[in-house]
Amino acid sequence: MKRDFVFTSESVSEGHPDKICDRISDAIVDTYLTAEPQARCGVETLVTTNRVVLAGETRGPASITADQLIEVARKAIREIGYEQDNFHWQRATVKCHIHNQSADIAQGVDMSGNKDEGAGDQGMMFGFACNHTPALMPAPIYYSHKILRALSEARHAGKTPDLGPDSKSQVTLQYVDGKPVRATKVVVSVQHSERVDQRDVREIVRPFVFAALPEGWMCDEDNFLVNPTGRFVIGGPHGDAGVTGRKIIVDTYGGYAPHGGGAFSGKDPTKVDRSGAYAARYLAKNVVSAGLADFCTIQVAYAIGVAKPLSFYVDTGDAVDEAKLGQVLQEMMDLSPRGIRTHLGLNKPIYTPTSSYGHFGRDPEPSGAFSWERTDLADELRRAF
C-alpha cells in the first residue's frame, strides 16, 4: 500500500445493457419483498434488440403473476429512459420464464426444528474500506461512479437532451506513497444523438468530469478521452446484449480489493453472495471509520444450508491486533444469514437503487437501503481497542 503506482477502475451507467438487467432483476426482488418479506428470489434478465427475457426461481405469494413481472420490467426500462426505436419500454417483447424455487434448495435454507436458517449458497465474500475518499472507498471507482451519476442526473433533469442512457467511464489515478494524488487519464463514452459530433459531446461531458474530481486532479487534454471510437449513436441493448450480474467489479471496489465472484442483483438476502458481502463491507467500513486502520479487508465464507460461517479473515496491514479484531467483530455482529438480515434490515424492498453506481460508498437511505454503509459500530470499536 505504501508505494507509487497508477490504478484504473471503470463504471457503467444505469443505461448500460448489463445494468438494465441488474435494474430489472432487483426491481423483481423488491416486488416480492414488498408482498412477502421472507420471499426468495434468484432472478436473471437478458436484454437485446427490443427483447427482454426474465428467468430464474422465486418463492412468494401466488398473487404475483408473470404479467405483473413483465410490467415491472417495462417500468424499470421506462425509468432508465429508453424510448428508442430499437429498445423501447413499451414496444419491446418481454417474456417471463420465472418458476418456483427448488425444494432441495429450500429445505437447506429454511429453519426447521433446532436448525437455524442456512446460507442460500456456498462461497466466499469480501468487504473492503480505505480512507482515500469520504465514502471510505478506493478513489478510482469512487470518481468513476461520481462522473456517471452526475451525467445521469443531468439527463433525467432534461439538461443534456443530446445524451442517451448508455455510458461508461474509466478513471486512472496516480498514487504517491500509497495515496491518490491526481488523474493521469479519464475516459468517458456516452451515447448521443445524430445532432452532435464527438467534439460537441466532449464539451458537454467536460464540466461533469471537472466537477467530480478534486480540484487540481484533472489530467491533461491529451489524456482526456471522450467517445474514443468517434461515434456512439447506436447504444443500449441494440448495440450490445446485456445479462444480470456481469458487472461485479463495477458493483464493488473497481478491482482495488478482492472479489468472491458472486453477483448481487436479482438475489434475495438469504443469498450470502449478497448479504455476506454487505456484512463484510459494513464491518470493514466501521474498522476504518473508527480510525483503527487506513484500510481493512474482510473475508467470510459459507456452505449452502449451514448457518455458521466456515471462516472469518481480517487484514489491516497489522495496524491492529487482527486476531482480537476478528473476535470482536464476530461478537458485535451475528454473521449467520439470519443474523445479517436482522442486523442490517435486509428483508425490505431496498434493492432497486443498488443496481447502478455501486453497492458500496453510498449514503444510507431512510427506506433502509444501503444500511451496510452505516458506521454505528465505530465508537464501540474504538472503546474495544
Side-chain angles (χ1 to χ4, degrees):
M1 300 293 286
K2 299 292 185 182
R3 58 189 179 90
D4 300 346
F5 57 95
V6 294
F7 196 88
T8 302
S9 294
E10 71 158 349
S11 178
V12 297
S13 72
E14 77 233 49
H16 184 281
D18 295 330
K19 281 290 146 195
I20 298 170
C21 296
D22 287 347
R23 172 73 166 264
I24 293 171
S25 295
D26 275 336
I28 290 173
V29 171
D30 284 348
T31 299
Y32 273 91
L33 293 179
T34 298
E36 172 52 65
Q38 303 302 321
R40 304 286 167 77
C41 293
V43 176
E44 311 291 341
T45 303
L46 163 73
V47 296
T48 185
T49 304
N50 263 337
R51 186 170 294 274
V52 180
V53 179
L54 311 177
E57 304 78 43
T58 61
R59 190 175 74 186
S63 59
I64 298 177
T65 64
D67 287 343
Q68 182 180 351
L69 298 181
I70 288 171
E71 289 308 307
V72 168
R74 293 192 188 280
K75 181 183 177 185
I77 297 166
R78 184 177 74 242
E79 289 175 347
I80 292 169
Y82 272 105
E83 294 186 343
Q84 300 173 5
D85 290 341
N86 295 304
F87 194 70
H88 194 290
W89 66 271
Q90 200 169 27
R91 295 197 296 270
T93 299
V94 184
K95 298 292 186 181
C96 182
H97 301 286
I98 293 171
H99 57 83
N100 290 334
Q101 184 187 56
S102 160
D104 291 348
I105 292 177
Q107 73 174 3
V109 176
D110 291 346
M111 295 177 63
S112 62
N114 294 324
K115 174 186 173 297
D116 196 359
E117 182 181 294
D121 203 350
Q122 71 175 43
M124 65 283 188
M125 299 85 216
F126 286 92
F128 181 78
C130 64
N131 58 10
H132 294 172
T133 61
L136 303 185
M137 286 288 288
I141 189 67
Y142 176 80
Y143 293 115
S144 294
H145 285 323
K146 194 172 181 181
I147 291 168
L148 292 190
R149 287 189 74 184
L151 282 168
S152 173
E153 289 166 4
R155 178 175 61 84
H156 284 294
K159 297 177 181 178
T160 56
D162 285 308
L163 300 188
D166 192 359
S167 60
K168 304 176 78 171
S169 66
Q170 187 168 284
V171 175
T172 300
L173 297 183
Q174 180 181 359
Y175 284 71
V176 176
D177 195 25
K179 299 289 185 181
V181 297
R182 70 181 185 94
T184 60
K185 283 183 170 53
V186 175
V187 183
V188 180
S189 295
V190 58
Q191 187 182 16
H192 60 87
S193 72
E194 295 272 12
R195 294 188 299 266
V196 292
D197 61 19
Q198 185 182 22
R199 288 171 296 179
D200 298 325
V201 176
R202 182 185 184 89
E203 294 313 309
I204 294 171
V205 167
R206 183 190 301 275
F208 293 96
V209 176
F210 269 87
L213 295 174
E215 186 176 356
W217 276 38
M218 185 61 180
C219 62
D220 60 48
E221 280 295 297
D222 289 342
N223 290 303
F224 175 42
L225 308 177
V226 177
N227 286 2
T229 64
R231 176 182 164 90
F232 189 5
V233 173
I234 300 172
H238 184 52
D240 189 14
V243 180
T244 300
R246 282 206 301 203
K247 289 292 178 284
I248 59 177
I249 300 302
V250 171
D251 284 343
T252 53
Y253 307 103
Y256 197 87
H259 194 295
F264 302 158
S265 290
K267 298 177 181 178
D268 73 81
T270 66
K271 309 293 193 297
V272 284
D273 280 340
R274 181 167 222 160
S275 56
Y278 289 174
R281 161 65 178 174
Y282 172 67
L283 295 177
K285 185 176 183 181
N286 274 273
V287 169
V288 176
S289 178
L292 301 184
D294 291 339
F295 77 94
C296 181
T297 303
I298 287 175
Q299 186 206 56
V300 61
Y302 293 90
I304 188 168
V306 179
K308 186 177 179 180
L310 304 186
S311 66
F312 184 86
Y313 164 86
V314 59
D315 175 24
T316 63
D318 294 324
V320 67
D321 182 340
E322 290 168 355
K324 178 182 176 182
L325 178 60
Q327 181 179 352
V328 168
L329 290 173
Q330 291 180 86
E331 291 170 355
M332 287 182 173
M333 185 178 188
D334 176 2
L335 288 171
S336 69
R338 179 177 51 82
I340 293 171
R341 293 205 324 278
T342 301
H343 191 110
L344 297 178
L346 299 183
N347 283 106
K348 300 175 183 177
I350 57 175
Y351 297 105
T352 299
T354 71
S355 61
S356 53
Y357 311 115
H359 292 245
F360 308 128
R362 310 282 290 274
D363 293 330
E365 297 183 357
S367 65
F370 306 105
S371 59
W372 49 93
E373 292 295 308
R374 301 191 314 246
T375 55
D376 51 326
L377 299 182
D379 287 343
E380 190 175 352
L381 280 167
R382 278 190 287 268
R383 287 193 295 270
F385 286 85

